[in-house]
Amino acid sequence: MSFKFELDHIGVAVESLEKGKAFYEALGLGPMTTEKVESEKVTVGFFELGNNSRIELLEPTGADSAVAKYLQKRGPGIHHICIKVSDIVATMGALKAMGVQLVSDEPRPGAHGKLICFVHPKSTGGLLIELSQPAPEKADWSSM
Ligand code: CMX
């Protein structure tokens, strides 16, 4: 089986989208689009970069959000990178078979109707990695 991979986005933890977006707007990106992702307890703000990739600002919606915990421990900054995969279930299965620690056993719903799953930083050398499979109608691969 052949899989496809692409950088989907870089996730950046911010105290607030209002404050966090200033630099990216000054750079000339935008406008920022926002979405509340209930399952992840965050409101996200996206800046399109071209090549099908984006910067995702992450504002926690409550103190029990993983991003709130991250901000408390480390402050604002890069929280994760997201790699787009063509078959998330198969990719998760292959990783599990190699003993890689996934945060959930099943994919869960993410922003833009995607299916997502996180790989624990302890299995990747310290970087939280999100895997994301686009909704079928949005499965646009820029380079393949
Ligand atoms: N990047 C790198 N390391 C991280 C990390 C991150 N984002 N978050 C936690 N860690 C590290 C901590 O530094 C800690 O390391 P040490 O043991 O060496 O100190 C270890 O992981 C455990 O950290 P913790 O604060 O106790 O956090 P938890 O174990 O409770 O949770 C994690 C860590 C990754 C399982 C949890 O944050 C998670 O489930 N993340 C996935 C979901 C998520 O982040 N959702 C928000 C984004 C949603 C979106 O993009 O839509």
Side-chain angles (χ1 to χ4, degrees), residues 14-74:
V14 295
E15 303 282 0
S16 86
L17 292 181
E18 260 325 289
K19 274 197 262 169
K21 72 179 185 180
F23 165 75
Y24 301 96
E25 287 182 344
L27 190 59
L29 298 173
M32 180 175 79
T33 57
T34 62
E35 182 175 341
K36 197 169 181 174
V37 186
E38 304 276 1
S39 54
E40 298 298 329
K41 299 182 176 137
V42 287
T43 306
V44 298
F46 283 107
F47 286 98
E48 294 295 328
L49 292 175
N51 290 330
N52 265 339
S53 70
R54 48 207 67 79
I55 300 284
E56 178 193 48
L57 303 185
L58 300 151
E59 177 188 307
T61 53
D64 57 345
S65 158
V67 174
K69 195 171 178 186
Y70 181 89
L71 284 166
Q72 211 170 20
K73 257 185 144 171
R74 300 194 182 195

Side-chain angles (χ1 to χ4, degrees), residues 71-92:
L71 284 166
Q72 211 170 20
K73 257 185 144 171
R74 300 194 182 195
I78 291 189
H79 177 261
H80 67 268
I81 67 160
C82 177
I83 297 172
K84 182 163 105 171
V85 300
S86 53
D87 187 336
I88 195 165
V89 172
T91 305
M92 288 172 74

